[in-house]
Amino acid sequence: LEDYAAKARLNGGYAALLHVDLDRFKHINDTLGHAAGDAMLVHASSVLQSKVGDQGFVARVGGDEFIVLCTVNDDVSQAALLAERIIEQMRKPVYYQGHQCRFGVSVGIAIDNGRVADAKQLLVNADIALYRAKRRGRNRHEFFSGELQSEIVNTKRNADEILSGLERNEFIAFYQPQFSAKTIGIFGVEAVARWR
């Protein structure tokens, strides 16, 4: 990856890394078995390879996850167009032993614009963008950005602070009655956790 990124920069472009994750793949494995899942992985590999051609590199990095490495020039929308072509093709049904299988893909895109420290960081950035694509409804792509990085850092910091607050017993339960609008009688109680 580092060599590829360096070569892309020498040729006046940038390395783009697309982290591709199959959506609803587990459902196929669980209902039709692992042989069907394996057939879907082979299908996904061939779709990715056909869309990338000799303009990039495709690898399965585990489970139902793939990476696509390609070069883009100043127009990073090239990576978005590739992602859209992949998403569109993966939406089409695939038949396995008479069963129609449908799955999609979510894609996270990170571009090595010369400011990325190393290959591992590029992979992390693409993974962060993939996570956002999945959170926003799947069958879509998202680019990594500084704003996304800040959001992830803030979320992690908040989670760490909450865990620390739990360890220090800073959360206190308050109970308040619930009233019926018709009878004005108490019909329940709700608990509210407050962070002191």
Side-chain angles (χ1 to χ4, degrees):
L1 179 53
E2 287 169 355
D3 290 346
Y4 190 97
K7 185 177 178 184
R9 282 195 294 265
L10 280 175
N11 293 329
Y14 303 106
L17 189 126
L18 285 69
H19 190 167
V20 180
D21 185 71
L22 304 185
D23 297 328
R24 296 182 302 279
F25 174 74
K26 186 179 183 316
H27 179 72
I28 292 169
N29 254 352
D30 291 347
T31 57
L32 298 176
H34 290 285
D38 289 348
M40 296 308 106
L41 291 173
V42 170
H43 170 75
S45 300
S46 64
V47 167
L48 291 171
Q49 194 60 54
S50 71
K51 296 301 174 194
V52 174
D54 58 1
Q55 301 300 309
F57 176 80
V58 176
R60 179 174 169 224
V61 292
D64 59 349
E65 296 182 28
F66 296 82
I67 60 162
V68 173
L69 190 57
C70 59
T71 302
V72 296
N73 296 316
D74 290 333
D75 185 9
V76 295
S77 67
Q78 294 169 301
L81 288 172
L82 174 59
E84 284 300 321
R85 287 196 307 265
I86 291 168
I87 291 166
E88 183 181 333
Q89 184 66 36
M90 293 287 195
R91 280 185 182 151
K92 295 180 179 174
V94 181
Y95 289 89
Y96 176 79
Q97 295 184 349
H99 297 279
Q100 187 184 75
C101 300
R102 288 184 172 271
F103 61 92
V105 291
S106 298
V107 182
I109 305 171
I111 308 291
D112 171 36
N113 53 13
R115 295 190 300 262
V116 175
D118 59 24
K120 287 180 185 171
Q121 190 60 52
L122 193 62
L123 284 164
V124 167
N125 293 352
D127 190 51
I128 289 170
L130 171 65
Y131 179 69
R132 172 173 267 189
K134 284 190 162 297
R135 259 192 1 244
R136 288 190 167 178
R138 303 174 189 262
N139 273 321
R140 60 180 296 130
H141 72 274
E142 289 287 337
F143 277 92
F144 175 81
S145 66
E147 172 194 329
L148 181 53
Q149 176 70 32
S150 296
E151 182 183 309
I152 296 294
V153 168
N154 286 338
T155 299
K156 184 182 181 328
R157 187 180 62 242
N158 287 341
D160 290 345
E161 288 175 3
I162 289 170
L163 287 173
S164 294
L166 287 169
E167 289 169 355
R168 292 190 300 264
N169 293 318
E170 293 174 351
F171 286 90
I172 301 166
F174 285 82
Y175 300 93
Q176 52 196 36
Q178 294 177 324
F179 294 91
S180 166
K182 289 181 181 177
T183 66
I184 312 299
I186 294 176
F187 73 91
V189 175
E190 67 180 359
V192 178
R194 293 189 180 154
W195 191 355
R196 184 173 60 191

Short mmCIF file of all heavy atoms in Angstrom, two decimals, residues 35-66:
data_model
loop_
_atom_site.label_atom_id
_atom_site.label_comp_id
_atom_site.label_asym_id
_atom_site.label_seq_id
_atom_site.Cartn_x
_atom_site.Cartn_y
_atom_site.Cartn_z
N ALA A 35 -21.72 -22.65 1.94
CA ALA A 35 -21.41 -22.82 0.52
C ALA A 35 -22.02 -21.69 -0.30
O ALA A 35 -21.40 -21.15 -1.22
CB ALA A 35 -21.90 -24.18 0.02
N ALA A 36 -23.24 -21.29 0.07
CA ALA A 36 -23.89 -20.15 -0.60
C ALA A 36 -23.11 -18.87 -0.31
O ALA A 36 -22.88 -18.05 -1.21
CB ALA A 36 -25.33 -20.01 -0.15
N GLY A 37 -22.70 -18.70 0.95
CA GLY A 37 -21.90 -17.53 1.31
C GLY A 37 -20.61 -17.48 0.52
O GLY A 37 -20.22 -16.41 0.03
N ASP A 38 -19.95 -18.62 0.39
CA ASP A 38 -18.71 -18.68 -0.39
C ASP A 38 -18.97 -18.29 -1.84
O ASP A 38 -18.17 -17.57 -2.45
CB ASP A 38 -18.09 -20.07 -0.31
CG ASP A 38 -17.51 -20.38 1.07
OD1 ASP A 38 -17.39 -19.44 1.89
OD2 ASP A 38 -17.20 -21.55 1.32
N ALA A 39 -20.08 -18.76 -2.40
CA ALA A 39 -20.43 -18.42 -3.79
C ALA A 39 -20.65 -16.91 -3.92
O ALA A 39 -20.26 -16.30 -4.93
CB ALA A 39 -21.67 -19.19 -4.24
N MET A 40 -21.24 -16.28 -2.89
CA MET A 40 -21.47 -14.83 -2.93
C MET A 40 -20.13 -14.08 -2.85
O MET A 40 -19.95 -13.04 -3.48
CB MET A 40 -22.39 -14.39 -1.80
CG MET A 40 -23.80 -14.94 -1.88
SD MET A 40 -24.64 -14.70 -3.46
CE MET A 40 -24.58 -16.37 -4.13
N LEU A 41 -19.19 -14.61 -2.06
CA LEU A 41 -17.88 -13.99 -1.97
C LEU A 41 -17.16 -14.05 -3.32
O LEU A 41 -16.52 -13.08 -3.74
CB LEU A 41 -17.03 -14.66 -0.90
CG LEU A 41 -17.48 -14.43 0.55
CD1 LEU A 41 -16.65 -15.28 1.51
CD2 LEU A 41 -17.39 -12.95 0.93
N VAL A 42 -17.28 -15.19 -4.00
CA VAL A 42 -16.67 -15.33 -5.32
C VAL A 42 -17.32 -14.34 -6.29
O VAL A 42 -16.63 -13.67 -7.07
CB VAL A 42 -16.80 -16.79 -5.84
CG1 VAL A 42 -16.40 -16.89 -7.30
CG2 VAL A 42 -15.95 -17.73 -4.99
N HIS A 43 -18.65 -14.24 -6.22
CA HIS A 43 -19.36 -13.29 -7.07
C HIS A 43 -18.90 -11.85 -6.78
O HIS A 43 -18.62 -11.08 -7.71
CB HIS A 43 -20.87 -13.41 -6.85
CG HIS A 43 -21.65 -12.32 -7.51
ND1 HIS A 43 -21.87 -12.28 -8.87
CD2 HIS A 43 -22.26 -11.22 -6.99
CE1 HIS A 43 -22.57 -11.20 -9.17
NE2 HIS A 43 -22.82 -10.54 -8.04
N ALA A 44 -18.84 -11.50 -5.50
CA ALA A 44 -18.42 -10.15 -5.13
C ALA A 44 -17.00 -9.87 -5.63
O ALA A 44 -16.73 -8.78 -6.16
CB ALA A 44 -18.49 -9.98 -3.61
N SER A 45 -16.13 -10.85 -5.52
CA SER A 45 -14.75 -10.68 -6.00
C SER A 45 -14.73 -10.40 -7.49
O SER A 45 -14.00 -9.51 -7.95
CB SER A 45 -13.92 -11.94 -5.72
OG SER A 45 -13.88 -12.21 -4.35
N SER A 46 -15.54 -11.16 -8.23
CA SER A 46 -15.53 -10.97 -9.68
C SER A 46 -16.13 -9.61 -10.07
O SER A 46 -15.65 -8.96 -11.00
CB SER A 46 -16.25 -12.11 -10.39
OG SER A 46 -17.62 -12.12 -10.05
N VAL A 47 -17.16 -9.16 -9.34
CA VAL A 47 -17.73 -7.84 -9.61
C VAL A 47 -16.68 -6.76 -9.35
O VAL A 47 -16.47 -5.87 -10.18
CB VAL A 47 -18.99 -7.58 -8.74
CG1 VAL A 47 -19.39 -6.10 -8.78
CG2 VAL A 47 -20.13 -8.46 -9.20
N LEU A 48 -16.01 -6.85 -8.21
CA LEU A 48 -15.00 -5.84 -7.88
C LEU A 48 -13.90 -5.84 -8.92
O LEU A 48 -13.48 -4.78 -9.39
CB LEU A 48 -14.42 -6.11 -6.48
CG LEU A 48 -15.38 -5.87 -5.32
CD1 LEU A 48 -14.76 -6.36 -4.01
CD2 LEU A 48 -15.76 -4.41 -5.22
N GLN A 49 -13.42 -7.03 -9.28
CA GLN A 49 -12.33 -7.11 -10.26
C GLN A 49 -12.76 -6.55 -11.61
O GLN A 49 -12.00 -5.85 -12.27
CB GLN A 49 -11.86 -8.56 -10.41
CG GLN A 49 -10.54 -8.69 -11.12
CD GLN A 49 -9.41 -7.97 -10.40
OE1 GLN A 49 -9.17 -8.19 -9.23
NE2 GLN A 49 -8.73 -7.09 -11.11
N SER A 50 -14.01 -6.81 -12.00
CA SER A 50 -14.48 -6.31 -13.31
C SER A 50 -14.62 -4.79 -13.30
O SER A 50 -14.39 -4.15 -14.32
CB SER A 50 -15.81 -6.97 -13.69
OG SER A 50 -16.86 -6.49 -12.88
N LYS A 51 -15.02 -4.22 -12.18
CA LYS A 51 -15.19 -2.77 -12.11
C LYS A 51 -13.85 -2.04 -12.00
O LYS A 51 -13.69 -0.93 -12.49
CB LYS A 51 -16.08 -2.38 -10.92
CG LYS A 51 -17.50 -2.88 -11.03
CD LYS A 51 -18.17 -2.37 -12.27
CE LYS A 51 -19.54 -2.98 -12.47
NZ LYS A 51 -20.07 -2.76 -13.81
N VAL A 52 -12.87 -2.69 -11.37
CA VAL A 52 -11.56 -2.06 -11.18
C VAL A 52 -10.65 -2.34 -12.37
O VAL A 52 -9.90 -1.48 -12.81
CB VAL A 52 -10.91 -2.56 -9.87
CG1 VAL A 52 -9.51 -2.03 -9.72
CG2 VAL A 52 -11.76 -2.16 -8.67
N GLY A 53 -10.75 -3.56 -12.91
CA GLY A 53 -9.91 -3.94 -14.05
C GLY A 53 -8.44 -3.88 -13.70
O GLY A 53 -8.04 -4.15 -12.56
N ASP A 54 -7.65 -3.47 -14.66
CA ASP A 54 -6.20 -3.38 -14.41
C ASP A 54 -5.82 -1.99 -13.89
O ASP A 54 -4.64 -1.65 -13.81
CB ASP A 54 -5.41 -3.74 -15.67
CG ASP A 54 -5.75 -2.85 -16.85
OD1 ASP A 54 -6.60 -1.94 -16.68
OD2 ASP A 54 -5.17 -3.06 -17.92
N GLN A 55 -6.84 -1.20 -13.54
CA GLN A 55 -6.59 0.15 -13.03
C GLN A 55 -6.38 0.18 -11.52
O GLN A 55 -6.22 1.25 -10.94
CB GLN A 55 -7.75 1.08 -13.39
CG GLN A 55 -8.01 1.17 -14.88
CD GLN A 55 -6.82 1.71 -15.63
OE1 GLN A 55 -6.27 2.74 -15.27
NE2 GLN A 55 -6.40 0.98 -16.66
N GLY A 56 -6.40 -1.00 -10.88
CA GLY A 56 -6.24 -1.01 -9.44
C GLY A 56 -6.01 -2.42 -8.92
O GLY A 56 -5.68 -3.33 -9.68
N PHE A 57 -6.21 -2.55 -7.63
CA PHE A 57 -5.90 -3.80 -6.93
C PHE A 57 -7.08 -4.13 -6.03
O PHE A 57 -7.60 -3.26 -5.34
CB PHE A 57 -4.62 -3.59 -6.12
CG PHE A 57 -4.23 -4.75 -5.27
CD1 PHE A 57 -3.57 -5.85 -5.82
CD2 PHE A 57 -4.51 -4.76 -3.92
CE1 PHE A 57 -3.20 -6.93 -5.04
CE2 PHE A 57 -4.14 -5.84 -3.12
CZ PHE A 57 -3.48 -6.93 -3.69
N VAL A 58 -7.50 -5.39 -6.02
CA VAL A 58 -8.61 -5.83 -5.18
C VAL A 58 -8.10 -6.92 -4.24
O VAL A 58 -7.36 -7.81 -4.67
CB VAL A 58 -9.77 -6.40 -6.03
CG1 VAL A 58 -10.87 -6.94 -5.13
CG2 VAL A 58 -10.31 -5.34 -6.98
N ALA A 59 -8.47 -6.85 -2.97
CA ALA A 59 -8.08 -7.89 -2.01
C ALA A 59 -9.21 -8.13 -1.03
O ALA A 59 -9.91 -7.19 -0.64
CB ALA A 59 -6.82 -7.47 -1.26
N ARG A 60 -9.38 -9.37 -0.65
CA ARG A 60 -10.31 -9.71 0.44
C ARG A 60 -9.48 -9.67 1.71
O ARG A 60 -8.46 -10.34 1.82
CB ARG A 60 -10.90 -11.10 0.21
CG ARG A 60 -11.85 -11.51 1.33
CD ARG A 60 -12.52 -12.83 1.00
NE ARG A 60 -13.23 -13.34 2.16
CZ ARG A 60 -13.18 -14.60 2.55
NH1 ARG A 60 -12.48 -15.48 1.88
NH2 ARG A 60 -13.86 -14.98 3.61
N VAL A 61 -9.92 -8.85 2.65
CA VAL A 61 -9.14 -8.66 3.87
C VAL A 61 -9.72 -9.41 5.06
O VAL A 61 -9.15 -9.36 6.15
CB VAL A 61 -8.96 -7.16 4.21
CG1 VAL A 61 -8.06 -6.49 3.18
CG2 VAL A 61 -10.29 -6.44 4.31
N GLY A 62 -10.83 -10.11 4.84
CA GLY A 62 -11.39 -10.91 5.92
C GLY A 62 -12.90 -10.96 5.85
O GLY A 62 -13.54 -10.01 5.42
N GLY A 63 -13.45 -12.12 6.23
CA GLY A 63 -14.90 -12.27 6.28
C GLY A 63 -15.55 -11.83 4.98
O GLY A 63 -15.30 -12.38 3.93
N ASP A 64 -16.37 -10.79 5.08
CA ASP A 64 -17.05 -10.26 3.90
C ASP A 64 -16.57 -8.85 3.58
O ASP A 64 -17.31 -8.02 3.08
CB ASP A 64 -18.57 -10.28 4.13
CG ASP A 64 -18.98 -9.45 5.34
OD1 ASP A 64 -18.10 -9.03 6.12
OD2 ASP A 64 -20.19 -9.20 5.51
N GLU A 65 -15.29 -8.60 3.87
CA GLU A 65 -14.71 -7.28 3.63
C GLU A 65 -13.62 -7.35 2.58
O GLU A 65 -12.80 -8.27 2.56
CB GLU A 65 -14.12 -6.71 4.93
CG GLU A 65 -15.17 -6.46 5.99
CD GLU A 65 -14.57 -5.83 7.24
OE1 GLU A 65 -13.55 -5.13 7.13
OE2 GLU A 65 -15.11 -6.08 8.32
N PHE A 66 -13.62 -6.34 1.72
CA PHE A 66 -12.64 -6.24 0.65
C PHE A 66 -12.06 -4.82 0.67
O PHE A 66 -12.67 -3.90 1.19
CB PHE A 66 -13.30 -6.44 -0.72
CG PHE A 66 -13.89 -7.81 -0.92
CD1 PHE A 66 -15.15 -8.12 -0.43
CD2 PHE A 66 -13.19 -8.78 -1.61
CE1 PHE A 66 -15.70 -9.38 -0.62
CE2 PHE A 66 -13.73 -10.04 -1.81
CZ PHE A 66 -14.99 -10.35 -1.31
#
